[in-house]
Amino acid sequence: MYFSISLAALVTIPAVNALVYVDSTGKLPALGWNSWNAYYCDIDEGKILAAANSIVDLGLKDAGYEYVNIDDCWAVKDGRDNVTNQIIPDPLKFPTGIKGIADEIHALGLKVGIYGSAGTLTCGGYPAQLGNEALDAATFAGWGIDYLKYDNCYIPANWTDTYDACVPDAWQIYGPYDNGTCAASPRDAPPGYDWSTSNNAKRYRIMRDALLAQNRTILYSICNWGHAEVQEWGNSTGSSWRITGDITPDWARIAEILNENSFLLNYVDFWGHNDADMLHIGNGNLTLQESRSHFAFWAVTKSPLIIGTALDKLAAEKVEILKNKALLAFHQDDIYGGPAEPYKWGINPDWTFNATNPAEYWSGPSKAGTLVLALNTLSTPVWKEIIFSEVPQLSKEKSASYHVTDAWSGKDLGCVKGRIRRWVDSHDTIAFTLGKKCDW
């Protein structure tokens, strides 16, 4: 069951109806694992179950990770069942079917996710859901599915949109992006256009309604790459919505997505979250410092944290990043639903849209106190200084002292006066929780 509430009193955006489940699914951003960034189409039952067992064995389940998500390429590619029209799991990859593997994952105390697309085919060319939403939602529910990632490939002409919204992303075609705007295009929407009336929004609402008609809660993750101003209508349609094109395992792309997300954070609160895409920790050539920053900013912006690597090969130091207690506590805070936000850009003047050097100084409230972070966007180490009187949630007294805990190490630093200054490696992030004000 679900109901809707007005978020007008909670966030600084126009009133919208949020998708609210009575069992609290989707109130907080999701935590889990997905097969795509680890294996792409080369998936099978053994790899998915190995990941599920690793989530338990590595302590990730105890840290809060719960979803085991099967991405694209799980179905038979050449069609549906001739009699029932149901989508068919590939019997070579999943000999016990999706129901069989779901039962095993549930037995571990975890949940299971599946992948689909709001088009005629998935991005990998497999059968998709457009026109079969009710049937496939019922099939997913019958298999015991708990989560649907819903992509945006192979859209037929009668479902395409008249207009394109601006997504200031390197993979789009309307750059360069002058401070986050797109170049003029003949496909620009007229001023005041209501994107919730777009075909894109309609396609995603059809599947939302199909999922809500089932007898189990299925978290709905919209993956339309930021198209059709999804942040304007995503909250009434799904629990999270992708805001950009796909992530890649390199620092330039991570910085670019962080920069874009930093201008959309007023859409984030309980029951609705910008999805900055899956985590690439353990993939590509990301350094340990870049992995820390990647995780820290996905966590504090309250993006879903969906691990995307082969867990059986993940270095212990990167497992520890994924289990960081302070950042996960902020991410899963049940009192403060909003994200951390930039309060000073650092390298650039405030409110500068810059894909290479996004905002560097961030803060946000939590049950534990005020979380403050400083990112080094440069390719060389630098001194970074967090000045307490500049942090919006703190006193403007320049000599104020606070009880400080290092978010990475968990070390209690005692009462610290006025500021914190640290030498920060290239692309690394320092983070501290500032608790009660100290009385001297």
Side-chain angles (χ1 to χ4, degrees):
M1 292 180 64
Y2 85 106
F3 57 95
S4 64
I5 59 173
S6 171
L7 292 187
L10 299 180
V11 291
T12 56
I13 58 175
V16 295
N17 290 319
L19 188 65
V20 176
Y21 295 95
V22 295
D23 64 359
S24 292
T25 294
K27 180 180 181 180
L28 303 176
L31 289 160
W33 177 90
N34 178 285
S35 61
W36 185 256
N37 288 342
Y39 303 115
Y40 299 99
C41 271
D42 187 22
I43 55 171
D44 58 44
E45 195 168 284
K47 289 175 180 174
I48 304 301
L49 288 176
N53 281 292
S54 290
I55 289 171
V56 176
D57 296 342
L58 294 173
L60 291 165
K61 177 187 173 186
D62 291 339
Y65 294 86
E66 60 177 342
Y67 291 101
V68 182
N69 296 340
I70 305 167
D71 209 281
D72 203 355
C73 313
W74 56 267
V76 170
K77 198 168 188 176
D78 58 1
R80 292 169 171 264
D81 187 282
N82 290 331
V83 176
T84 66
N85 200 40
Q86 285 185 315
I87 199 163
I88 308 168
D90 187 324
L92 297 178
K93 295 178 179 178
F94 297 95
T96 67
I98 301 300
K99 177 67 166 64
I101 195 171
D103 288 346
E104 292 197 56
I105 291 170
H106 288 151
L108 294 172
L110 300 170
K111 298 179 180 180
V112 62
I114 203 74
Y115 167 96
S117 180
T120 56
L121 296 172
T122 69
C123 297
Y126 291 76
Q129 281 59 58
L130 189 64
N132 292 289
E133 292 90 347
L135 174 62
D136 287 356
T139 300
F140 295 157
W143 290 342
I145 294 299
D146 304 294
Y147 181 117
L148 174 64
K149 173 185 171 182
Y150 205 43
D151 220 330
N152 194 36
C153 284
Y154 289 97
I155 312 307
N158 62 314
W159 276 106
T160 58
D161 280 315
T162 304
Y163 308 117
D164 289 335
C166 175
V167 182
D169 205 44
W171 79 306
Q172 302 292 333
I173 61 174
Y174 299 124
Y177 308 110
D178 184 13
N179 213 29
T181 63
C182 294
S185 160
R187 290 178 58 82
D188 287 345
Y193 179 71
D194 181 359
W195 286 99
S196 70
T197 67
S198 66
N199 280 335
N200 197 301
K202 290 175 184 176
R203 284 186 289 112
Y204 280 88
R205 283 199 296 271
I206 293 170
M207 180 53 87
R208 174 201 64 186
D209 294 343
L211 294 174
L212 292 174
Q214 306 311 312
N215 62 357
R216 65 184 294 112
T217 299
I218 301 177
L219 187 147
Y220 188 27
S221 173
I222 298 169
C223 183
N224 81 333
W225 323 319
H227 289 189
E229 296 284 357
V230 64
Q231 66 272 11
E232 299 286 350
W233 49 267
N235 201 187
S236 63
T237 307
S239 296
S240 63
W241 47 90
R242 276 276 297 281
I243 55 170
T244 71
D246 289 354
I247 192 172
T248 53
D250 57 89
W251 177 252
R253 183 59 176 148
I254 289 167
E256 180 183 32
I257 292 174
L258 176 58
N259 172 65
E260 292 177 56
N261 198 14
S262 70
F263 290 89
L264 298 172
L265 294 173
N266 57 321
Y267 293 95
V268 177
D269 212 307
F270 291 130
W271 306 107
H273 305 96
N274 293 341
D275 183 353
D277 205 358
M278 297 171 287
L279 294 169
H280 256 306
I281 294 165
N283 301 331
N285 60 357
L286 293 176
T287 66
L288 185 65
Q289 292 79 8
E290 290 166 349
S291 297
R292 282 162 42 109
S293 294
H294 178 19
F295 180 78
F297 284 102
W298 266 233
V300 304
T301 56
K302 301 198 174 177
S303 169
L305 293 177
I306 307 298
I307 301 166
T309 196
L311 290 173
D312 56 344
K313 299 176 182 177
L314 187 60
E317 58 192 359
K318 293 183 178 178
V319 173
E320 292 308 307
I321 291 173
L322 296 171
K323 296 195 302 183
N324 181 271
K325 291 182 179 179
L327 296 174
L328 286 174
F330 187 92
H331 185 259
Q332 295 290 297
D333 197 304
D334 59 0
I335 301 298
Y336 295 91
E341 298 184 72
Y343 65 88
K344 186 170 70 172
W345 260 244
I347 292 295
N348 296 302
D350 290 353
W351 299 104
T352 298
F353 187 95
N354 187 306
T356 304
N357 302 105
E360 294 188 321
Y361 293 88
W362 297 61
S363 67
S366 73
K367 290 190 294 187
T370 298
L371 183 68
V372 292
L373 307 94
L375 164 68
N376 176 12
T377 64
L378 300 178
S379 58
T380 57
V382 293
W383 287 102
K384 305 299 289 186
E385 188 170 51
I386 297 169
I387 300 171
F388 298 164
S389 62
E390 295 179 344
V391 178
Q393 293 83 7
L394 303 179
S395 168
K396 299 308 174 188
E397 301 173 44
K398 295 188 182 298
S399 60
S401 299
Y402 295 89
H403 198 103
V404 176
T405 304
D406 187 308
W408 287 116
S409 68
K411 183 179 179 181
D412 184 343
L413 303 181
C415 286
V416 178
K417 183 178 179 180
R419 65 194 63 210
I420 299 170
R421 191 166 187 259
R422 294 288 188 275
W423 185 248
V424 182
D425 285 339
S426 171
H427 303 162
D428 202 0
T429 295
I430 54 174
F432 303 91
T433 302
L434 276 63
K436 292 182 178 180
K437 202 173 179 182
C438 299
D439 295 322
W440 295 95

